[in-house]
Amino acid sequence: MDRQVRIQLAGGLALAATGALGVLVVSPERALASLAGTADRPVLFALALVGLYGVRSLVLWPISALSLLVGFVYGPAVGIPIGLAGAVYTCLPPYLLARYAPRQRGPLARLHALGRSAVEVTGDLRGLIAARLVPLPADAVSYAAGLAEVPVGRYALGTALGETPWVVATVLAGASMRTFALEAAGSTLSLLLAATLLGVVLLSGPAYRHLRRRGVLDGPAIDQ
């Protein structure tokens, strides 16, 4: 077996094992409940929060779990910008890992080709925003963007824009836990549905044009 393929397989197995360990051994509910108990020590809480955002992708926790905690502790006014910054920061490790992984041969070479093809159809920024808006696993999108060689600046911008409705919704939900604000919690569902619809709309035009060029669909061209 080619050395590069062995490295890819070993890396994939290591990530899978780490993720399984994080899911099975340390539940996000227990860890975040413990962290919330340190909210009265702001510096310690902030340092622990930065650490959790940094390792979140390794243990396969959802970003929403941390956004809920941020909303619960800080409230919407402070929690939303912190949650957005955290969402971009926590999505960087898988992106960078995939961006600089050896992929001249093996499974990653094929995934790289598929990713580049998708970017050519949707555009890197537009495609990333749409992928973040629809309810796809955040880390899968990060790995895909890295393999597709989306520039880091566009990656950060697309992640921030696409994650905005999800972060806002979960921060508001976390803040509502302190006051049992049913109206605020209920409004988040409408926001998430609108975000998903917007993501589908962003992808529909490029997908339609791509299918027309391949002769799969007939009809007038759509300029978007």
Side-chain angles (χ1 to χ4, degrees):
M1 184 183 295
D2 183 274
R3 180 174 180 272
Q4 192 171 114
V5 175
R6 290 200 302 270
I7 292 174
Q8 293 174 13
L9 293 177
L13 289 173
L15 288 173
T18 303
L21 188 65
V23 170
L24 296 175
V25 176
V26 184
S27 70
E29 293 83 3
R30 184 180 302 172
L32 296 181
S34 298
L35 181 57
T38 67
D40 57 342
R41 303 169 65 184
V43 175
L44 177 61
F45 177 81
L47 291 174
L49 186 65
V50 170
L52 280 180
Y53 269 120
V55 302
R56 180 211 55 82
S57 61
L58 294 177
V59 293
L60 300 181
W61 290 359
I63 298 175
S64 58
L66 294 175
S67 298
L68 281 169
L69 176 64
V70 166
F72 180 78
V73 172
Y74 291 117
V78 177
I80 288 174
I82 289 177
L84 283 175
V88 175
Y89 165 57
T90 197
C91 288
L92 281 174
Y95 161 80
L96 294 173
L97 183 62
R99 177 76 185 270
Y100 296 105
R103 53 173 175 271
Q104 287 75 27
R105 294 177 295 280
L108 293 188
R110 290 188 286 273
L111 292 175
H112 168 65
L114 289 173
R116 290 306 305 166
S117 297
V119 165
E120 289 173 3
V121 172
T122 64
D124 49 14
L125 182 59
R126 179 176 184 155
L128 182 58
I129 292 173
R132 294 294 188 193
L133 286 172
V134 299
L136 294 174
D139 295 324
V141 174
S142 300
Y143 285 119
L147 288 172
E149 297 181 334
V150 174
V152 64
R154 286 175 172 264
Y155 174 77
L157 178 60
T159 297
L161 293 175
E163 288 289 339
T164 292
W166 298 94
V167 169
V168 169
T170 48
V171 167
L172 289 176
S176 71
M177 293 177 185
R178 306 186 71 171
T179 59
F180 202 63
L182 293 179
E183 291 182 3
S187 66
T188 61
L189 179 59
S190 299
L191 179 61
L192 297 182
L193 290 175
T196 301
L197 179 60
L198 178 58
V200 172
V201 169
L202 285 174
L203 290 177
S204 61
Y208 179 80
R209 292 194 298 272
H210 176 68
L211 293 174
R212 282 194 72 245
R213 284 195 297 268
R214 294 176 64 91
V216 177
L217 296 176
D218 294 321
I222 296 178
D223 294 324
Q224 288 189 18

